[in-house]
Amino acid sequence: MPASYFDVDGTLVATNLLHPTLFYLANQKTPLHSLSRIASALVRGPSLLAAEVWDRRLFNEALFSLYAGMTEDRLLVLADEAFDNVLRRSLFVESKALVARCREQGDVVLVSGALDFLMTRLAAHLGATGVIANKLEIKDGVATGRIVRPVVAGPEKARLIREHAAAHGHDLKDCFAYSDSYSDVPMLSVVGHPAVVNPDLRLGRLAKSYGWPVLALTPS
Amino acid sequence: MTHPLVVTLDKKSAPRTIFAGDKLVEVSMPAGTRVIYPRPPLEPLKDVDAAIRYAIQHPENSDPLHAKLRPGMKVVIAIDDVSVPLPSMRRPDVRERVLTIVLQMLADYGVEDVEMIIATSVHRRMTAAEVRHIVGDKIFEAYWPKRLYNHDAEDPKGMKEVGTTEQGEVVELNRKAVESDLVIYVAVNFVPMSGGHKSVTVGLCGYKSLLAHHNPKTMRDCWSYMDPESGKSALATSVNRMGKITNANLNVFTIETTVNNRMFDRSLEWLGKNEDDLSSTERAAQKALTYTLSRVPQAARQAIFQRVPAPYGVTGVFAGETEAAHVKTMARAYEQLLVPIRGQADILVTGIPFISPYNVNSFLNPLLVQVMAQGYLFNLYRGAPMVKKGGTLIFTHPCTDQFDEEHHAPYIEFVHKLLPETRDAMELHKRYERKFASNPAYIQMYRTGNAYHPAHPFFMWYWGEAGRQHLGRVIAVGADNEYIPKLLGYETARTMGEALDMARETAPPSPEITMLHTAPMFMADVTV
């Protein structure tokens, strides 16, 4: 039975990794704490931007360092609210129907650089069966700001998909993958049926060359 | 004695000018070649609106439309999609004229719950601009998109089974139509295979129902797709069986219209004339257009032919019960299309034009070239095929490896991934079709984009099946590559002379050569 592997940001939802992070930064214990964390994030803005341009993995690591010092309890308590206010509102109109159609084919796995506790909520909402996502390292109930290895980004996504497929008995040539970003070309390339969703310029060009299906999903 | 539209060439005959995609080419044919020309356009109706009113007030085997109406009822109007006529019709499209009169009548009788569905089946969704073109500004503004929309054969809640034939053919149709009190179907009958039961039973159905007849076995069992009345078309027989189930469960009122074959404006009418009879002005126009088309880029050529609507004239309006109305429609359609031919050819030659029902506003891709060669043009006969069993078909077309990435997205994978595996339609049907047709990405593109359903490329390949089984060889003249013709199972030749020499090698001595001079459209009425 084939599986469908979905990138999330830009593919199923119109948001990116920054949006839920900003939600967490803005919802700290006190307004002062929030202000201080947002100010610190702004200071690191240029380095985040540079990391995004340079390497998606570096960007993920830099971004999630902003979570350092947040307690696990707080992260989880706010997760439902973050999901409702950020992710659910930003789902593309057709995302749920597309995932439902993919479920008729077999498993649906979200493969995202976003944080696991948000992705499990999104998976439950969409009816997806699995999640491959980044995990924050927690020590003594507090986030260290580091990501548990391996970092889910770029070519690593392709390796994790191979691993998942092998573990679950999926033949990759029968599997599907969906993404919006050129950085996910490795992930799209390992399956037999790649498709692109609202692709960036470079991915759009590549999809055209290879005759991959190009889906235009609508922001809600 | 031969018909005046069947011209036998002699040594002094001028070269023939035929289509090669969106270009025109001059080809010299040997003396003795029979060239079949289309009939001149039939005289159009003088008052189309009056004809529409008369037809719905005096329908065939049915109460008049007004007698079926009552206040508060639910009415669905289903409308033929953009695939007919070709090219699209100059405004007002005949569908707009029918709809204007019907909607006024519905309003007069207090019928307010009206929805209009473009009966696309698994064709691509029509764009808003295309819908506006066929229904007109006033109706479009009032109804689009909530009460005027495209059929969606993949909407999980939008389809409903209404029955199954004794042969196990499942009739599943658009739920809105099934649950309405009256379905009015507005059709444009461009070729004899359209209209009749095909309108509702295919136009509003889904993949489950199409499986019954859009398969290689049914297509192989068709004597001619374009001769549904003969009882020799397994496709028409299956659709008619299913149509009877449809009409037993739905209250259907059919309005069919026929148009003449005025595909081109008067300035291009010479395209359908004998080259030896052209005036000096027409000959100059022919040279000028041929030269221009050979020089301008492809996009411009496509625009020249596809963006200019055709000045079709309406030749008939027939309404009422599906089968009874369709008998009248067919008679009128044949009046325009049929050209009597005596005897079959050993070698059939044709140009393939720029358009098919499946590439309106897009490029005629390689799979559609196959549809035109072995599907449409091969099947344009009644009585017997124009070419003998095992004979050769020669066509002119560049067979360019080009696709519209949106409209024909699933075609690309079909041609480049599946055809290299096998050309055997039965194998494609058994091994690949179901899986390919359920690819969620392609289904999404069909449902919310403007792509054909992923089952469609398979159907297109099956379209060529009767021709594939009948013809011995197919030779493409002027292909710009070797790969595509080979993939489609064709030989290639650089010139018509070379193709004819190749064909003669496997033909009897002094072979009978027949050329189809299309477009405009015609159909051969062949007696053997």
Side-chain angles (χ1 to χ4, degrees):
Chain A
M1 189 186 279
S4 301
Y5 296 97
F6 277 90
D7 167 57
V8 173
D9 290 316
T11 303
L12 290 171
V13 296
T15 51
N16 56 40
L17 296 179
L18 273 175
H19 294 89
T21 306
L22 285 174
F23 177 86
Y24 272 102
L25 297 180
N27 287 279
Q28 291 302 301
K29 280 186 285 188
T30 64
L32 204 61
H33 277 92
S34 294
L35 207 61
S36 142
R37 282 192 174 270
I38 290 170
S40 154
L42 285 174
V43 170
R44 283 194 251 173
S47 61
L48 280 170
L49 198 65
E52 164 71 354
V53 174
W54 184 253
D55 181 351
R56 179 56 67 93
R57 185 173 169 277
L58 280 179
F59 171 77
N60 284 3
E61 292 196 302
L63 184 73
F64 293 132
S65 68
L66 296 173
Y67 286 81
M70 292 187 202
T71 64
E72 187 177 18
D73 286 351
R74 182 151 202 89
L75 289 169
L76 296 179
V77 162
L78 284 176
D80 284 336
E81 217 178 313
F83 171 70
D84 280 340
N85 289 336
V86 182
L87 291 178
R88 191 154 70 175
R89 282 183 185 179
S90 310
L91 274 168
F92 291 125
V93 174
E94 303 86 357
S95 293
K96 205 161 182 177
L98 178 60
V99 170
R101 184 74 63 172
C102 293
R103 275 292 287 130
E104 291 170 12
Q105 305 280 324
D107 286 344
V108 173
V109 182
L110 307 185
V111 186
S112 174
L115 293 172
D116 55 346
F117 48 83
L118 292 176
M119 290 301 100
T120 49
R121 282 161 174 79
L122 181 63
H125 178 73
L126 292 173
T129 50
V131 165
I132 299 172
N134 278 318
K135 286 183 201 303
L136 287 175
E137 185 185 74
I138 304 287
K139 270 194 181 158
D140 303 326
V142 177
T144 63
R146 285 191 292 270
I147 307 174
V148 174
R149 301 300 167 106
V151 177
V152 183
E156 188 60 28
K157 282 187 177 177
R159 194 192 65 76
L160 291 165
I161 286 173
R162 280 181 194 281
E163 206 174 270
H164 181 276
H168 293 81
H170 303 305
D171 187 343
L172 278 172
K173 76 174 192 315
D174 295 330
C175 289
F176 302 84
Y178 299 80
S179 178
D180 69 312
S181 168
Y182 188 80
S183 64
D184 283 335
V185 168
M187 145 181 176
L188 293 167
S189 304
V190 294
V191 298
H193 303 284
V196 305
V197 179
N198 302 345
D200 59 34
L201 202 63
R202 288 174 78 194
L203 184 62
R205 271 197 230 119
L206 191 81
K208 191 174 171 177
S209 304
Y210 283 99
W212 291 348
V214 181
L215 279 65
L217 302 191
T218 325
S220 50
Chain B
M1 193 182 143
T2 57
H3 193 273
L5 294 169
V6 182
V7 175
T8 303
L9 303 184
D10 58 33
K11 285 182 180 171
K12 292 180 185 166
S13 297
R16 304 294 108 173
T17 299
I18 57 174
F19 277 98
D22 44 26
K23 288 183 182 176
L24 291 169
V25 290
E26 276 194 349
V27 292
S28 295
M29 298 302 294
T33 300
R34 289 190 308 180
V35 185
I36 311 170
Y37 287 88
R39 282 182 183 277
L42 289 178
E43 202 54 41
L45 297 172
K46 285 194 172 60
D47 189 338
V48 176
D49 291 348
I52 295 166
R53 286 197 185 91
Y54 183 86
I56 59 180
Q57 300 281 12
H58 303 86
E60 309 295 329
N61 195 24
S62 164
D63 291 331
L65 180 57
H66 68 80
K68 289 174 170 277
L69 306 178
R70 54 182 166 72
M73 73 189 303
K74 286 182 189 170
V75 172
V76 162
I77 305 176
I79 308 162
D80 266 351
D81 77 354
V82 73
S83 61
V84 284
L86 299 169
S88 58
M89 189 173 185
R90 188 177 288 171
R91 290 174 83 173
D93 187 289
V94 67
R95 284 162 284 206
E96 176 185 346
R97 301 178 86 143
V98 173
L99 290 171
T100 303
I101 289 167
V102 168
L103 288 170
Q104 184 58 56
M105 183 180 277
L106 295 180
D108 291 346
Y109 281 80
V111 180
E112 290 172 352
D113 189 346
V114 181
E115 295 198 16
M116 285 181 270
I117 305 173
I118 310 294
T120 49
S121 189
V122 292
H123 288 181
R124 71 171 173 87
R125 296 192 322 150
M126 286 175 65
T127 64
E130 289 168 341
V131 175
R132 183 188 283 275
H133 182 89
I134 66 166
V135 305
D137 294 329
K138 201 172 158 190
I139 295 171
F140 183 85
E141 297 294 347
Y143 289 87
W144 178 269
K146 290 208 165 156
R147 294 200 294 153
L148 166 62
Y149 49 86
N150 290 289
H151 169 65
D152 179 358
E154 289 289 347
D155 179 357
K157 293 177 186 162
M159 301 294 290
K160 188 173 181 179
E161 278 187 28
V162 295
T164 305
T165 66
E166 285 177 11
Q167 284 72 15
E169 298 145 318
V170 180
V171 182
E172 185 195 38
L173 297 168
N174 185 295
R175 180 179 290 276
K176 273 279 177 194
V178 175
E179 292 175 353
S180 68
D181 300 308
L182 174 65
V183 176
I184 301 170
Y185 196 99
V186 180
V188 184
N189 289 75
F190 191 61
V191 289
M193 64 164 289
S194 59
H197 280 300
K198 187 170 176 286
S199 295
V200 174
T201 303
V202 175
L204 294 178
C205 83
Y207 181 53
K208 200 187 288 182
S209 290
L210 291 169
L211 279 171
H213 39 70
H214 280 49
N215 60 64
K217 180 167 188 319
T218 304
M219 296 318 239
R220 280 184 188 180
D221 290 345
C222 287
W223 182 241
S224 168
Y225 307 155
M226 299 294 177
D227 187 9
E229 287 181 324
S230 66
K232 292 177 182 171
S233 165
L235 174 64
T237 306
S238 172
V239 170
N240 287 343
R241 271 196 303 264
M242 295 168 80
K244 287 181 198 300
I245 301 271
T246 300
N247 284 18
N249 289 278
L250 277 70
N251 181 16
V252 178
F253 187 86
T254 299
I255 305 172
E256 296 194 335
T257 61
T258 53
V259 292
N260 61 20
N261 67 350
R262 197 178 288 284
M263 286 177 72
F264 305 110
D265 229 330
R266 290 193 190 277
S267 59
L268 289 178
E269 265 186 358
W270 49 265
L271 279 164
K273 285 187 181 172
N274 181 351
E275 283 78 349
D276 292 314
D277 296 339
L278 297 184
S279 68
S280 53
T281 316
E282 287 171 327
R283 203 163 292 131
Q286 182 197 64
K287 296 275 180 206
L289 183 62
T290 306
Y291 178 81
T292 306
L293 292 172
S294 70
R295 290 288 182 271
V296 299
Q298 194 277 321
R301 297 198 299 271
Q302 189 168 316
I304 289 171
F305 284 118
Q306 292 208 28
R307 296 280 166 84
V308 184
Y312 291 111
V314 179
T315 57
V317 185
F318 309 97
E321 183 270 321
T322 307
E323 291 180 11
H326 193 55
V327 169
K328 299 261 176 170
T329 306
M330 290 289 282
R332 194 71 172 137
Y334 281 144
E335 210 178 310
Q336 173 66 81
L337 292 169
L338 286 179
V339 178
I341 312 291
R342 201 178 287 276
Q344 294 170 293
D346 298 296
I347 302 168
L348 185 67
V349 179
T350 184
I352 292 188
F354 52 93
I355 199 164
S356 78
Y358 316 109
N359 74 305
V360 176
N361 297 322
S362 63
F363 187 75
L364 189 88
N365 64 54
L367 188 54
L368 294 177
V369 170
Q370 175 265 169
V371 166
M372 289 302 285
Q374 288 153 303
Y376 247 80
L377 295 170
F378 170 79
N379 276 281
L380 278 176
Y381 69 85
R382 187 168 83 166
M386 289 174 277
V387 61
K388 291 173 191 163
K389 174 86 177 161
T392 300
L393 173 70
I394 299 173
F395 71 80
T396 50
H397 195 277
C399 299
T400 308
D401 184 10
Q402 184 181 324
F403 296 80
D404 186 293
E405 289 108 14
E406 189 187 8
H407 294 183
H408 300 123
Y411 282 49
I412 303 172
E413 187 177 341
F414 179 88
V415 168
H416 286 294
K417 214 163 164 179
L418 300 190
L419 281 186
E421 296 288 325
T422 180
R423 279 199 297 271
D424 184 326
M426 291 291 190
E427 203 183 338
L428 285 163
H429 179 59
K430 285 179 189 158
R431 270 182 64 194
Y432 298 105
E433 185 191 308
R434 295 281 186 124
K435 202 167 150 189
F436 195 95
S438 61
N439 182 321
Y442 291 134
I443 297 279
Q444 192 65 44
M445 290 181 80
Y446 158 78
R447 293 195 64 201
T448 54
N450 292 102
Y452 279 85
H453 189 283
H456 204 258
F458 288 83
F459 298 161
M460 293 297 91
W461 188 252
Y462 308 155
W463 247 97
E465 195 55 18
R468 240 184 324 272
Q469 297 299 314
H470 185 87
L471 294 163
R473 301 167 73 184
V474 179
I475 304 171
V477 176
D480 62 17
N481 69 93
E482 293 291 313
Y483 173 73
I484 289 293
K486 202 167 183 179
L487 208 54
L488 300 174
Y490 304 157
E491 298 166 69
T492 53
R494 275 162 294 203
T495 63
M496 183 60 72
E498 191 181 319
L500 288 167
D501 287 344
M502 287 163 66
R504 282 193 189 96
E505 287 167 10
T506 48
S510 308
E512 172 64 50
I513 303 172
T514 298
M515 173 186 257
L516 310 181
H517 203 290
T518 184
M521 280 270 292
F522 66 89
M523 191 175 152
D525 195 6
V526 183
T527 48
V528 180

